[in-house]
Amino acid sequence: MADLFTDRLKLNLSGTGKELTPQQLNDNFKTIEKEFLQRSVNASWFGAVGDGVQDDTAALQELINKIPDYSILHIPSGRYKITSTLNIRKQGVRIFGIHKGRYRQGKGVTSIEFYGTGPCFQIGDESLPSFSGFQNVQFHDLSIRYEGTARGALNNPFSQSVKRGYYGKGTVGIQDWRGGGVILDNVLIEHFETAFWGYESDVNLFNCTEINYNKTGIHLQNRSSQFTSIALFTLGNDTALDLNSSNGARFMASQHIMDGSSTDIPILINDFMNAEFIGCWFEGLSREHKVTVPSFIQVGATKETKNVALRDSILAIADKYDDIQSVCNYFVDVIIGKKVLVDEVGGYPRNLKQLISFSGSSSTQQVTLRSHLDFSYSNNRYDENNGTGQALLLVEKYSDNGIEHLYETFVKAYLGARQSLPAGSWQKVNFNQINDDDLTEFDAASSRWRAKRAGKYRIQVYISTDPQVDGNRTRLALHLNDEQVTGGSAYAYLDDRIMGGMNYSALSGAMEMKLEANSFIDIRVFSQNKTDILPGGGITYLTVSRI
């Protein structure tokens, strides 16, 4: 249907019509907006008042029930009191409100105020077959807030300090069961136990969405994949993002501000593959709160998580409180994760305790750090190993000379005390002192070196012994992946000597090996007659270097 206002606007914007004054152009836009609102289905037609007093639940539910698929719903500005779940079982429904200003609150906005339990909006339900829910539901220009009295306290100290530290127990702002294609555009969700909850909710798009003061902000699980967020803003949540058992999430230019607590991680990524954060802002708590968040991001708490990329991150981390305590210990804590990439960080990463942490005992802990690294920590490292796992950090530093590779394998271990060799048996050499070990690959307790990554290595050994009886035979062997403490089968024999006369003796050898990650070696010595190995970093040592 043609209308004069739209036709005039088309002509003017295309440069082919009569030029309009700014006032005339503005009037045309207002008229077109008014016609759009008049042509959409208006909540007021079904008795919704929006005065914050009348219960508008029944009116809005009737509206949703009676419209066909792909309808446009308009909820005028006002405060709509909702006391139970609004169920959406339609395809492609588009719900529009009105917003003014950054936070979409106050006079002249559309505010959905929830007083019930469970979800405020629920798309589909758990009875639906897999990926067969109601798709492409859209929410535009809305404020969705919990205002009921069944409240729990948030742990987040910022939300407490601004008197916003509560959430509705057992509540969800928007819940999607097996639908997907959900669009949130200029939507604010506050004070829920979970702001958005998706189960098999894939290909969602959040644009300029604000998630504030919730127990958990966005929770995705069970193949809620291919999620995209542009300019997401989170503030004062215990946990802002909880990404679980899915594949594919992209966060572009998001801002995560003062989320977390001493017991809550702002961003959790677990049993997940392919999560990417591009040009995002990560801001810690204020030093005045005197609270330390364990880490901004946790990777793989219980199951392997891989392909997590954090590109061009800005870390707005406040100065340490009491001069020694960081408001956030680590940017990323890896428990079970591989192919984790931190590609350039700016801002104030130096105010962290350390950039990267490794926790737990997993043999899968791999992070690559690429950055100009114009900051440092007191131990001259960028990671801290808080567990017993692989803890592999590869560092590529951008410099005037190109890319410098830091933290390459170089190990030197030596015997710290005299070791007795019984006659006629193979004994592992107890290299129990470490001179160098940038990647913490040598275990002094078991006298064993374990490769954290696959590659080619050079192993060199030198063993000094006490004077031996004339004709004594000594041998030196390298063992690969041998769990036996004594004896076992040698991978390679490095030296074999027979002494002439009562003289001090030495065994030595070197070899190059191509090893898989987690392969381990130890060194063993055989003496035909009883003797002692002499201690000292210059006379009994093992070195390993990557070549």
Side-chain angles (χ1 to χ4, degrees), residues 133-153:
F134 300 95
Q135 299 176 346
N136 304 319
V137 176
Q138 301 181 17
F139 300 84
H140 300 262
D141 304 329
L142 295 171
S143 171
I144 304 171
R145 304 166 63 191
Y146 178 77
E147 293 287 0
T149 57
R151 300 181 176 185

Side-chain angles (χ1 to χ4, degrees), residues 227-399:
F227 177 90
T228 301
S229 169
I230 302 171
L232 173 69
F233 183 93
T234 70
L235 173 69
N237 303 280
D238 281 357
T239 294
L241 305 176
D242 183 11
L243 311 180
N244 201 292
S245 57
S246 302
N247 181 0
R250 291 169 292 176
F251 295 86
M252 292 172 279
S254 63
Q255 299 181 67
H256 305 284
I257 298 178
M258 296 194 185
D259 296 311
S261 74
S262 61
T263 56
D264 299 286
I265 310 295
I267 299 175
L268 302 171
I269 310 174
N270 185 47
D271 190 19
F272 205 92
M273 184 166 64
N274 302 317
E276 188 170 23
F277 294 77
I278 306 170
C280 296
W281 177 281
F282 302 91
E283 183 172 333
L285 296 171
S286 168
R287 65 196 300 265
E288 285 74 23
H289 295 131
K290 294 193 174 184
V291 170
T292 298
V293 175
S295 67
F296 233 110
I297 301 171
Q298 183 188 79
V299 175
T302 60
K303 292 187 177 180
E304 182 178 286
T305 297
K306 60 184 178 180
N307 299 333
V308 176
L310 301 148
R311 304 181 189 276
D312 299 321
S313 305
I314 303 297
L315 305 186
I317 308 300
D319 290 339
K320 296 180 179 181
Y321 62 92
D322 297 336
D323 295 324
I324 57 171
Q325 295 294 330
S326 298
V327 298
C328 183
N329 278 337
Y330 311 104
F331 180 37
V332 181
D333 180 31
V334 177
I335 300 174
I336 312 173
K338 64 182 180 181
K339 297 183 180 179
V340 179
L341 171 65
V342 179
D343 190 354
E344 198 60 274
V345 289
Y348 298 92
R350 66 175 181 271
N351 289 333
L352 296 164
K353 182 181 180 184
Q354 211 81 24
L355 190 66
I356 308 293
S357 167
F358 296 100
S359 302
S361 58
S362 172
S363 60
T364 304
Q365 295 177 333
Q366 303 163 9
V367 178
T368 298
L369 169 62
R370 296 175 184 159
S371 181
H372 283 86
L373 297 177
D374 53 356
F375 60 94
S376 61
Y377 300 99
S378 59
N379 64 352
N380 295 317
R381 292 189 61 85
Y382 296 96
D383 66 316
E384 185 168 73
N385 188 0
N386 295 306
T388 59
Q390 184 185 19
L392 174 61
L393 176 66
L394 307 179
V395 182
E396 299 176 358
K397 180 180 179 179
Y398 302 135
S399 71

Side-chain angles (χ1 to χ4, degrees), residues 216-228:
T216 299
I218 298 171
H219 172 81
L220 302 176
Q221 73 176 81
N222 199 56
R223 296 182 291 170
S224 293
S225 303
Q226 297 167 266
F227 177 90
T228 301

Side-chain angles (χ1 to χ4, degrees), residues 166-188:
Y166 67 90
Y167 67 94
K169 292 182 178 180
T171 62
V172 180
I174 299 173
Q175 185 175 60
D176 179 34
W177 282 99
R178 301 187 168 104
V182 178
I183 293 179
L184 269 59
D185 179 41
N186 283 308
V187 172
L188 167 72

